[in-house]
Amino acid sequence: MRLGLNLGYQAAWTTPADHLAMAQEADRLGYAVVWSAEAYGSDTVSMLAWIAGQTQQIDLGAAVMQIPARTPAMTAMTAATIDTLSGGRFRLGLGVSGPQVSEGWHGVRFAKPLARTREYVEIVKMAIARQPVAYDGEHYTLPLPDGPGKALRLGFHPPREAVPIYLAAVGPKNLELAGEIADGWLAIFFAPDAAGEYLQHIERGRAKQGRGLTGFDVAPSVPVVLGDNVAWCADVLRSYAALYVGGMGSREQNFYNQLAVRMGYADEAARVQELYLSGKKAEAAEAVPQDFIERTSILGNKIQVKERLKQYAAAGVGTLSISPYVGDLKSGIDTLRIVAEAFEESGVAE
């Protein structure tokens, strides 16, 4: 197993300078990858390009570049460019986002996300490999058949003919697709004790290509809160969990709520959603089950961190990317260092 750092996106309590400092410390400590995110605020490309020029060895991951935000050709251009300026350190994470962001922010219909993702990835791979981009799909047609366009080839030679592609996936069909067409899976709310449930879908997708799980990178992003009181640590994450389970989508379509249901929290997930969508966010946070937070996070002191790292490694995780939930840069740096020490002492390093 390897360690990663997920910076998320810029928020009211973060700064680009703090994120850069975290990335540089992770680079110094030997973390394998730093991921940057986007929703409808800061974008991942700008942050990664900035970090790329000020780090040495750490990989640079998009978690994720939103599929509705860019044409597949633009994504290929961006991936090839960052891979070039970083000396081959880029990892491309892709996701369809959700209906609210896709249709409300980007103006792109959310229908048939699996088929769109499949076509998108095929075009991206074709373009990065410098093949002439000609594609006739249900969602993408290149070049357009009734105009002056022609099949074009990427106009420069990137350092690699392919970059690692990860899919952000939650549901069973998405997991199967990730196993079939991607090199890795960006997971959220990953519980090591439920790994078999997740991985069976990925294995089904891998089998379609005649492959097993070897070489496929299971890469969850895991919240980390350090402290001597696990209950207090869990409380730090309650608002985050309530946002996703209760408010990241509509009553009819919330992938994270559905995930909590599949994990055995049907009644609790329904209550969190009802409270959150009724504007009772504090009550929704209180209603998140303690067990759900503990199963999907790393909480406690260094000894407890070591045990959790062993559990993630045993569950088949290839890259464990931590998301430190802290109030300031010093606490973030301290968290990176303590987790790195626990990682070395745990004996799970690749």
Side-chain angles (χ1 to χ4, degrees), residues 6-334:
N6 195 320
L7 295 171
Y9 37 76
Q10 292 299 309
W13 54 89
T14 65
T15 69
D18 284 352
H19 276 187
L20 175 61
M22 291 283 285
Q24 289 174 327
E25 182 64 14
D27 191 19
R28 189 188 70 79
L29 290 169
Y31 281 64
V33 60
V34 56
W35 304 91
S36 181
E38 63 185 19
Y40 45 92
S42 60
D43 75 288
T44 184
V45 172
S46 300
M47 288 300 301
L48 291 178
W50 189 53
I51 292 171
Q54 301 179 82
T55 50
Q56 302 299 319
Q57 298 179 357
I58 196 167
D59 278 6
L60 308 144
V64 298
M65 289 171 66
Q66 298 174 95
I67 285 175
R70 303 169 182 86
T71 67
M74 185 69 246
T75 290
M77 291 166 60
T78 301
T81 301
I82 297 181
D83 203 46
T84 299
L85 65 86
S86 67
R89 291 188 283 140
F90 184 65
R91 303 187 193 185
L92 174 58
L94 295 170
V96 290
S97 190
Q100 288 74 21
V101 173
S102 184
E103 298 192 8
W105 187 247
H106 297 301
V108 175
R109 294 293 181 194
F110 190 73
K112 299 184 177 179
L114 292 174
R116 284 191 296 116
T117 298
R118 180 185 296 276
E119 292 189 10
Y120 196 97
V121 170
E122 288 175 354
I123 297 168
V124 168
K125 289 180 177 179
M126 186 186 305
I128 293 175
R130 300 198 73 248
Q131 300 172 11
V133 178
Y135 195 87
D136 185 15
E138 178 185 356
H139 302 277
Y140 299 97
T141 302
L142 295 167
L144 293 175
D146 54 355
K150 63 179 182 179
L152 298 174
R153 190 193 309 267
L154 185 69
F156 73 103
H157 291 266
R160 298 184 287 180
E161 293 184 351
V163 300
I165 293 179
Y166 292 69
L167 289 189
V170 177
K173 291 187 180 299
N174 269 306
L175 290 171
E176 185 174 328
L177 182 67
E180 181 183 354
I181 69 173
D183 304 296
W185 167 40
L186 296 171
I188 187 172
F189 295 123
F190 181 97
D193 60 90
E197 167 65 24
Y198 312 135
L199 295 181
Q200 66 173 329
H201 305 297
I202 292 175
E203 285 182 304
R204 192 172 296 121
R206 299 287 283 177
K208 291 180 179 180
Q209 300 293 333
R211 296 176 295 184
L213 283 175
T214 301
F216 185 88
D217 190 15
V218 176
S221 178
V222 181
V224 174
V225 182
L226 300 181
D228 292 323
N229 186 318
V230 170
W232 176 88
C233 293
D235 285 344
V236 174
L237 299 176
R238 288 190 174 280
S239 295
Y240 150 77
L243 167 63
Y244 278 82
V245 174
M248 198 66 81
S250 64
R251 294 181 193 275
E252 297 75 26
Q253 197 167 32
N254 180 325
F255 306 125
Y256 309 102
N257 188 281
Q258 294 163 11
L259 173 61
V261 171
R262 290 194 297 273
M263 292 175 64
Y265 303 100
D267 293 341
E268 296 91 334
R271 175 165 171 74
V272 170
Q273 184 179 66
E274 178 61 33
L275 289 168
Y276 198 97
L277 295 181
S278 299
K280 300 176 180 178
K281 296 181 180 179
E283 292 92 334
E286 292 175 4
V288 176
Q290 175 80 12
D291 184 57
F292 176 81
I293 297 175
E294 291 190 22
R295 288 176 66 196
T296 58
S297 310
I298 295 177
L299 311 172
N301 57 34
K302 185 176 174 182
I303 294 174
Q304 292 166 310
V305 170
K306 277 197 292 187
E307 290 307 308
R308 285 293 280 165
L309 292 175
K310 292 177 182 177
Q311 292 170 15
Y312 279 98
V317 170
T319 303
L320 179 73
S321 297
I322 67 168
S323 295
Y325 273 72
V326 295
D328 54 69
L329 176 59
K330 181 182 182 303
S331 298
I333 296 292
D334 289 343

